[in-house]
Amino acid sequence: MTVGRKALCRDSAWGTHEEFAQLYGSYLDAVYRSSSSPVTGSGRWKLIHSVAAEVRKRGVRWLLDCAAGTGFPAFDLAMDTDSLPGLQVHCTDADIEMLTILAWRAKRKHFDVGRLAPPLGTDLGRGVGSMRLDWAQLRDVQQTYDYVMCRGNSLAYANTWGGGRDVTSLPTIAGYLTQIAKKVRPGGFLHVDAPWRLDLPQEDYGRVVSGAASIWEQVTTESHARHWRVDFKLPTGQILKFERFSTLLTILDVKTILDQLGFAETEPFQLQAERPGFGVIIAKRP
Ligand SMILES: C[S@@+](CC[C@H](N)C(=O)[O-])C[C@H]1O[C@@H](n2cnc3c(N)ncnc32)[C@H](O)[C@@H]1O
């Protein structure tokens, strides 16, 4: 979905969702303070290695990222054949703009994007189209997985990632998590994150130069939702502005839902290299 708005002034405009997806990689670099280089081992790559360690520790062979977005970090894990030999990664997401960037990343690395598409009931072809699955549609995926991931505060952005102010209710999110949890094989693991607190400390990262843009970000908590604002200053000097709204969900809400679903090991923790405001649960399906 495209959510463009009319330009505010000559050098500052609300960006479309397509532009947002294209700039998302730069945003990740800024947030994780990384040069995006595996050589430096910093920021974004530290988080990828941190998740890889959790995956390796659990002897995972089949991994599903059901909020895969542009492929961070699922595609990076799929590419990490040295430290994760034999790992099979499937990616799904509801957002075609994000998946388009994932396909572009795969093509650049000469990786067959079809290998990332999960098997569905009928042969729909194995490309970006068959990866486009809402959480409510995960029942169509034929297999279960050793490790299912839904990170990047994705649950809180249920159905608002493309734009819109109408955030999803907690009971609906609980329903989504129930669908996602069914894709974990018995004895397998579910990796979810969410903010530790309702009132995420006012996060203002200031301007961070990253890749193609300098980036400013701010998160504020309002009565009904979190409001995320991010501006990208392009090398041309133009500023593209974006905002997204998310549900007031905490990691303790996620824990309560997982406890009700009978999962074990639901205690949230601070995953190495993850953003400090966000708790992670890697729960075990009995
Ligand atoms: C904050 S982004 C995180 C993307 C990626 N996991 C990351 O860490 O960069 C949230 C993702 O959740 C996806 N999402 C939101 N609602 C969804 C739904 N109902 N079904 C499937 N995916 C959804 C969005 O399309 C988006 O790609």
Side-chain angles (χ1 to χ4, degrees), residues 52-211:
E54 300 296 331
V55 166
R56 205 169 33 245
K57 197 159 77 187
R58 290 169 175 80
V60 173
R61 185 165 147 65
W62 287 98
L63 182 149
L64 170 69
D65 187 348
C66 67
T70 59
F72 171 74
F75 175 62
D76 305 281
L77 296 176
M79 292 292 295
D80 190 3
T81 46
D82 287 343
S83 82
L84 296 167
L87 179 72
Q88 306 280 324
V89 176
H90 286 158
C91 292
T92 60
D93 197 286
D95 189 321
I96 195 67
E97 306 293 358
M98 297 289 275
L99 289 173
T100 300
I101 302 296
L102 169 53
W104 172 79
R105 292 185 66 205
K107 195 171 170 196
R108 240 177 26 150
K109 298 277 182 190
H110 307 289
F111 189 101
D112 174 12
V113 74
R115 282 171 51 198
L116 299 172
L120 300 176
T122 49
D123 182 14
L124 298 175
R126 286 168 69 86
V128 175
S130 55
M131 290 156 66
R132 189 182 186 185
L133 286 184
D134 189 276
W135 296 320
Q137 296 170 305
L138 284 176
R139 65 174 79 88
D140 296 341
V141 174
Q142 284 178 325
Q143 72 181 83
T144 55
Y145 294 83
D146 304 318
Y147 199 95
V148 175
M149 199 159 49
C150 183
R151 72 158 301 282
N153 200 18
S154 294
L155 286 175
Y157 283 101
N159 308 329
T160 55
W161 191 244
R165 287 170 176 256
D166 293 334
V167 299
T168 299
S169 70
L170 279 178
T172 302
I173 289 179
Y176 283 141
L177 196 50
T178 305
Q179 291 297 328
I180 294 167
K182 285 182 183 162
K183 289 295 111 190
V184 182
R185 70 155 172 81
F189 296 88
L190 178 53
H191 177 145
V192 195
D193 68 351
W196 284 106
R197 296 159 35 157
L198 272 188
D199 61 331
L200 254 187
Q202 169 99 7
E203 292 191 60
D204 181 349
Y205 296 96
R207 296 200 174 270
V208 184
V209 176
S210 171

Side-chain angles (χ1 to χ4, degrees), residues 216-234:
W216 171 89
E217 176 187 55
Q218 188 177 62
V219 184
T220 50
T221 304
E222 300 179 358
S223 57
H224 80 296
R226 277 193 203 92
H227 182 197
W228 178 50
R229 279 273 296 103
V230 58
D231 290 358
F232 294 80
K233 186 171 183 188
L234 306 180

